[in-house]
Amino acid sequence: MRRHGFLAVILAGCVAGCAWLFSHSGPLDASEESPGSFREAFSGKGELPAAVLDPDGVRLNYFDASWEKVLKDVAEKSHLTLVM
């Protein structure tokens, strides 16, 4: 008889814990907005920001490019050897 009481308490605790977890199932994001890409951020707002030219630097502005292409371009522009 004692075992049944103990099992009932454990079952009630599990049910209460599950109910509490399901009641807190909303997103825990810090922002209310859904994430977007650079294109979405500037679409419909007129012009894109002007590019800044830096002769000594490497500009990373790749959309839908493979990592291989990005890394090869960075190595080429900075006069480094890329080992993959």
Side-chain angles (χ1 to χ4, degrees), residues 9-59:
V9 169
I10 290 177
L11 181 62
C14 288
V15 169
C18 288
W20 180 78
L21 285 174
F22 285 127
S23 69
H24 289 82
S25 64
L28 300 175
D29 297 345
S31 174
E32 297 284 325
E33 300 174 3
S34 61
S37 71
F38 177 79
R39 291 183 211 164
E40 293 171 354
F42 286 101
S43 65
K45 293 186 178 174
E47 298 179 18
L48 292 174
V52 178
L53 297 177
D54 185 9
D56 298 329
V58 176
R59 184 168 175 85

